[in-house]
Amino acid sequence: IDRGGTFCVATCGPGSVVHTPTETWLYYGADAATHAEGWVNGRLCTIARAHWRRWGFVSMETWKFGDLVTKPVVFKTGKVAVNGKVCRPGEKWAKAEIEVVDATNGKVLARGEAYGDNTVKPVAWKGTVPVDRPVRLRIHSRYYGIYAIECF
């Protein structure tokens, strides 16, 4: 956005991120100068807040079919919540099939599904999700968008 000059932007520190039930907020500071200019009295300075859907940094949207395999994760409780939505409204087959697979041999240990438009949709598993050992999530998506996966 052109605001009539150059702005230097920096976050306000580790405490500048706030999670609400539906959004993530990031507070940051900005001033009308570059890093090379240093501090000059009388410059425009501001504190601002950026916000987005909770855990919405990266997404996967499939308008037909798509697959995704995560890096190894370790569950504390075996519970997973998905932030997702239907990419093609009215598509009755829109969903994400989620498999928990062993991180070393790829064997499927549990299966579940995500469907509908939800910011936090718990996944009900068929099978046992191991805790305290590395597994991967293998996701088969059909007309569905996944914006975050939260593992507990």
Side-chain angles (χ1 to χ4, degrees):
I1 299 172
D2 182 4
R3 301 206 190 263
T6 303
F7 278 76
C8 175
V9 177
T11 61
C12 295
S16 63
V17 176
V18 176
H19 296 292
T20 73
T22 59
E23 291 185 323
T24 296
W25 300 346
L26 173 67
Y27 289 91
Y28 62 94
D31 64 70
T34 65
H35 286 285
E37 291 176 314
W39 177 253
V40 178
N41 286 332
R43 271 198 327 240
L44 172 65
C45 296
T46 186
I47 295 176
R49 183 189 77 172
H51 62 95
W52 54 88
R53 186 181 355 194
R54 182 150 184 190
W55 307 115
F57 289 109
V58 178
S59 66
M60 171 188 152
E61 291 184 351
T62 53
W63 292 91
K64 287 195 177 184
F65 304 98
D67 293 325
L68 171 78
V69 178
T70 69
K71 292 181 176 184
V73 296
V74 177
F75 287 96
K76 300 278 187 236
T77 66
K79 296 180 181 178
V80 171
V82 174
N83 176 341
K85 73 169 189 152
V86 174
C87 290
R88 187 171 163 184
E91 177 58 56
K92 67 180 182 177
W93 300 109
K95 65 180 176 179
E97 297 170 345
I98 304 170
E99 299 171 333
V100 177
V101 299
D102 187 284
T104 55
N105 63 22
K107 179 182 174 188
V108 177
L109 305 170
R111 289 184 165 89
E113 293 182 342
Y115 50 87
D117 294 351
N118 298 283
T119 53
V120 181
K121 171 75 172 176
V123 176
W125 298 114
K126 294 177 186 171
T128 303
V129 178
V131 295
D132 296 326
R133 86 171 211 227
V135 296
R136 293 178 188 266
L137 298 178
R138 185 165 50 207
I139 302 163
H140 308 285
S141 182
R142 180 184 302 163
Y143 302 108
Y144 198 72
I146 295 179
Y147 302 97
I149 300 169
E150 190 170 6
C151 301
F152 304 97

